[in-house]
Amino acid sequence: MITLKSNREISGMAHSGQILAGAHLALRDKIHVGMDTWEIEEIVNQYILDHDATPSEKGFEGYKYATCISINNEVAHATPRKGLKLKNHDIVTVDFCVNWHGYESDSAWTYVVGESTPEIDHLMDVTLKALYLGIDQAQVGNRLGDIGFAIQDFVENKNHMGDVRDLIGHGIGPTMHEEPNVFHYGVPHKGLRLKAGMVITIEPMVNAGGDWEIRTEVVPETGWEYYVSADDSLSAQYEHTLAITNDGPKILTSQDPIMDAKYLWQD
């Protein structure tokens, strides 16, 4: 069932989203060459707790951590791993959810470790632009296919990269994953019609090599399954939680109030 949120509920989710965004901002200046991925887990977990909130992923379907941390060819759902050190030119995606007094938010962001390369810059730029092209289609009266097509067309047709199809966005609130499923590919004017009050995530994952397929890997120490690009190319992801309103899409996890000025939720 798809629930439509009231202004009060959206405001609560926006507060949760700003705690989440603050944790991402706290990471920006801390991620460095030689950093253990467990340090990222500790920074995010403590930041959330210090802001009167809880990390939603802990305990969800047996998951033990506040964050998912995916590196280079890892597409999604990889875990923080003690002893795994970040290297120069790595890219690392940090994905997590926050619950503030029952209000959920979800956002992932990709960071470059140390020095970047033209390939990395291009991949991250395409992925971030794809996210915002999808957000621009999250308008009352549009359909889910409009979001998916905007992303797919930009990633695949215009940039010849792999638009991951097996992992999707979703509705959110009051639990982490709800209806509707939000695909990052699709046909314009097809699919569920969008209504004011829906709150969803849009979270494109892009493989640099042009292959959209993924395969499953396992963390040896824990048996946890995660996903890597099928062609082992670099993969990036950006994700926002947003509300669909009569005034357009409103990003609830914004990290940049200047860039996102037209998308900001006002109580």
Side-chain angles (χ1 to χ4, degrees):
M1 183 177 69
I2 299 171
T3 60
L4 301 181
K5 277 66 176 181
S6 66
N7 285 353
R8 176 186 59 81
E9 290 170 312
I10 295 172
S11 292
M13 296 177 77
H15 187 90
S16 172
Q18 285 311 291
I19 295 171
L20 193 158
H24 272 300
L25 290 169
L27 284 177
R28 284 191 182 183
D29 296 328
K30 291 184 172 65
I31 290 179
H32 61 271
V33 174
M35 187 179 198
D36 194 302
T37 60
W38 190 251
E39 293 179 61
I40 296 174
E41 164 74 8
E42 290 180 321
I43 290 168
V44 171
N45 184 67
Q46 193 60 51
Y47 186 97
I48 294 169
L49 295 176
D50 287 346
H51 288 78
D52 191 30
T54 57
S56 304
E57 292 188 22
K58 272 194 176 181
F60 180 72
E61 296 183 350
Y63 196 68
K64 298 178 180 179
Y65 313 105
T67 61
C68 291
I69 300 175
S70 304
I71 302 170
N72 294 334
N73 70 329
E74 297 171 351
V75 177
H77 298 176
T79 70
R81 286 149 281 180
K82 290 182 179 179
L84 179 58
K85 306 288 187 180
L86 299 177
K87 303 184 300 296
N88 195 37
H89 303 315
D90 278 348
I91 59 172
V92 54
T93 297
V94 185
D95 184 10
F96 55 96
C97 301
V98 167
N99 184 299
W100 176 76
H101 295 263
Y103 297 107
E104 288 285 349
S105 59
D106 185 1
S107 178
W109 218 253
T110 297
Y111 305 89
V112 64
V113 182
E115 300 167 318
S116 190
T117 67
E119 179 190 16
I120 290 171
D121 287 342
H122 185 49
L123 172 62
M124 293 172 66
D125 182 63
V126 167
T127 309
L128 185 60
K129 286 179 178 175
L131 168 63
Y132 278 83
L133 287 171
I135 291 172
D136 283 338
Q137 292 299 315
Q139 307 282 348
V140 171
N142 277 2
R143 295 182 180 271
L144 285 175
D146 296 314
I147 295 174
F149 177 77
I151 293 168
Q152 182 183 16
D153 180 58
F154 182 70
V155 171
E156 294 186 347
N157 298 332
K158 294 183 171 62
N159 286 283
H160 312 293
M161 292 183 176
D163 176 28
V164 172
R165 301 183 188 183
D166 294 332
L167 302 172
I168 59 177
H170 50 86
I172 183 170
T175 57
M176 278 197 298
H177 292 164
E178 300 186 355
E179 294 293 330
N181 292 330
V182 181
F183 296 90
H184 304 114
Y185 63 96
V187 178
H189 318 307
K190 299 293 184 181
L192 180 76
R193 192 176 296 280
L194 303 176
K195 297 181 179 179
M198 289 180 176
V199 181
I200 62 174
T201 71
I202 300 177
E203 46 186 294
M205 287 147 271
V206 177
N207 296 338
D211 187 345
W212 60 264
E213 294 182 314
I214 59 177
R215 69 174 191 273
T216 303
E217 296 282 354
V218 175
V219 178
E221 295 81 7
T222 63
W224 182 262
E225 293 185 348
Y226 62 99
Y227 303 100
V228 302
S229 57
D231 60 4
D232 285 320
S233 64
L234 295 176
S235 188
Q237 179 189 14
Y238 292 98
E239 172 189 13
H240 274 312
T241 297
L242 60 135
I244 297 167
T245 80
N246 289 320
D247 294 322
K250 301 300 179 183
I251 297 173
L252 307 183
T253 49
S254 171
Q255 299 179 33
D256 189 336
I258 296 175
M259 183 178 80
D260 293 340
K262 71 175 182 177
Y263 303 108
L264 296 181
W265 172 257
Q266 301 293 332
D267 291 333

